[in-house]
Amino acid sequence: MIRTVLGIETSCDDTGVAVIDGENRVLANVLSSQTRMHSDYGGVVPELASRSHSRNIVHVFRRALDEADVDLADVDLIAATRGPGLVGCLLVGLMVAKGLAWATDIPLVGVNHLKAHVWASVLDRSPRLCTPALCLIVSGGHTELMLVEGEDSVEGELIGGTRDDAAGEAFDKVARLLHLGYPGGPVIDRLARTYRGELIDFPRPMLSDASFDFSFSGLKTAVAVYLEQRRRGHDCTGLGEAETARVAASFQEAVVDVLAEKTRRAMRETGVGTLIAAGGVAANAQLRERLAQVAGDAGARLIVPPPEYCTDNAAMVAAAGHRRFARRGADGYGLDVDPSLSLRPAEDG
Ligand code: KG4
Ligand code: ZN
């Protein structure tokens, strides 16, 4: 029986190690974020990220065991993200996981990071995944609508995805245009909360399209064009605090409109009783509010993890790993990273 799972997450710019129990209760969820380092560059620098993971991971691992008050000998399963993500970053986490597993004989499983975001919905809440459900997965690299019909597994039909930029990517790029640093989502979220005035009418891409696909690069360009025109008209470079907040709030409103309305239609068409929101952008306050309305109007329940479980963390990797192990057993030491893993593979759980 699995009573204690160690999770390791290093797919991008957060070094995470977590310990959960067999019922998905989080005993420790330690994260060392590199955002300050990457902020100077306006985005993640892969080589700096992987070096930083290898510098920090042992320290983060020790802290997680300390906080959970468990010894490595008490751990029954080790789960590490194997993709998607930056290859050098993934390798650090998976190699540490393999080393630990080999030295202790604890079974090892590789985890699909995108599916782990969906598994965040069970943390501190439920031993099992609530399916069938419509899942809106919105992160830095992905915007997907998935009808999850697997029994306690993230398996099902991908009904929509982004044709260009992901939602989180759009937040990060617009924040860059506004000189707000990286990552852009949390700053835009905060600024938008303070803004009360009139909004700029940015386009809602693909809203009138019948598919469940998304596209955000045109919206980002519309913001860039607006800023350029305004700079020319005012003959100055600085935007001012109020105008920056106005652009941030207007951009966010457009993104949330598209995400919420497409999700509303998908709820209607699929007729499922549960909506799960996952990924870093699901930490957004306005999106959470709108999705609550969408679910309420559909008579469905919304499961959206607390913000700290929406953004990258290792507890979700541990939860995903536990269920994958229960269904398919351990992986061998030949397990490799896959930087371009998608939501599709059924065997990833
Ligand atoms: O899931 P995540 O932590 O990492 C990936 O797997 O990509 O998502 C990161 C993305 C970034 O683009 C970040 O700007 C965005 O999520 N994000 C947010 C918020 N918090 C993080 N976007 C909007 N509002 C937020 N509060
Ligand atoms: Zn992620």
Side-chain angles (χ1 to χ4, degrees):
M1 193 170 76
I2 301 290
R3 279 159 308 188
T4 309
V5 186
L6 183 85
I8 299 179
E9 160 59 39
T10 61
S11 66
C12 191
D13 58 345
D14 291 301
T15 314
V17 180
V19 182
I20 67 168
D21 71 11
E23 305 276 279
N24 298 321
R25 281 181 289 253
V26 179
L27 308 180
N29 189 25
V30 179
L31 210 59
S32 166
S33 169
Q34 309 172 3
T35 49
R36 218 174 316 137
M37 178 175 79
H38 297 296
S39 188
D40 295 341
Y41 302 91
V44 177
V45 183
E47 168 141 359
L48 294 181
S50 50
R51 283 174 188 271
S52 178
H53 285 309
S54 57
R55 259 196 317 275
N56 294 334
I57 193 151
V58 171
H59 172 69
V60 173
F61 163 71
R62 287 211 177 112
R63 256 187 57 203
L65 287 189
D66 274 359
E67 278 184 23
D69 199 19
V70 298
D71 292 323
L72 187 54
D74 301 325
V75 170
D76 301 310
L77 179 68
I78 297 173
T81 302
R82 72 176 187 93
L86 298 167
V87 65
C89 297
L90 292 164
L91 279 168
V92 175
L94 187 62
M95 291 309 127
V96 167
K98 277 191 192 180
L100 289 171
W102 181 79
T104 56
D105 244 352
I106 298 170
L108 165 77
V109 277
V111 165
N112 181 323
H113 177 90
L114 288 171
K115 296 193 174 190
H117 272 301
V118 179
W119 281 102
S121 64
V122 301
L123 293 172
D124 285 336
R125 201 191 61 83
S126 157
R128 300 181 79 77
L129 192 67
C130 187
T131 56
L134 179 74
C135 293
L136 174 69
I137 301 149
V138 270
S139 69
H142 293 265
T143 309
E144 325 259 6
L145 270 171
M146 186 177 194
L147 176 61
V148 177
E149 293 178 298
E151 227 174 86
D152 206 29
S153 74
V154 185
E155 274 177 64
E157 190 190 347
L158 269 175
I159 61 172
T162 182
R163 296 198 182 164
D164 41 57
D165 291 357
E169 192 179 351
F171 271 96
D172 294 336
K173 286 179 174 169
V174 166
R176 202 169 168 174
L177 291 172
L178 293 169
H179 306 291
L180 294 174
Y182 173 86
V187 197
I188 290 181
D189 188 353
R190 224 176 306 125
L191 275 179
R193 271 184 245 185
T194 64
Y195 184 74
R196 292 278 170 277
E198 202 186 316
L199 294 172
I200 305 153
D201 188 20
F202 288 131
R204 270 65 173 156
M206 310 277 295
L207 197 54
S208 48
D209 182 275
S211 78
F212 293 118
D213 285 344
F214 303 91
S215 158
F216 291 108
S217 90
L219 173 57
K220 172 204 65 194
T221 306
V223 174
V225 169
Y226 174 85
L227 291 175
E228 187 52 38
Q229 283 171 347
R230 205 185 170 284
R231 270 177 203 134
R232 279 207 203 122
H234 286 70
D235 195 24
C236 65
T237 46
L239 255 196
E241 253 173 62
E243 183 63 8
T244 302
R246 184 160 103 104
V247 175
S250 308
F251 159 76
Q252 180 176 288
E253 173 104 349
V255 175
V256 169
D257 266 357
V258 176
L259 292 173
E261 289 316 306
K262 291 253 167 178
T263 304
R264 182 187 297 280
R265 276 185 224 159
M267 286 300 288
R268 208 180 300 139
E269 200 155 298
T270 57
V272 288
T274 303
L275 171 62
I276 297 176
V281 182
N284 185 274
Q286 192 183 0
L287 179 62
R288 297 165 79 92
E289 241 169 64
R290 287 286 295 278
L291 291 178
Q293 281 169 10
V294 167
D297 293 347
R301 72 164 149 168
L302 171 69
I303 305 177
V304 55
E308 67 270 24
Y309 295 157
C310 288
T311 45
D312 285 352
N313 66 85
M316 67 184 194
V317 174
H322 182 185
R323 302 317 300 171
R324 187 187 172 302
F325 177 75
R327 293 179 336 111
R328 296 187 184 263
D331 284 310
Y333 294 128
L335 179 68
D336 200 0
V337 299
D338 182 350
S340 53
L341 201 59
S342 75
L343 272 167
R344 281 183 214 284
E347 68 274 14
D348 276 342

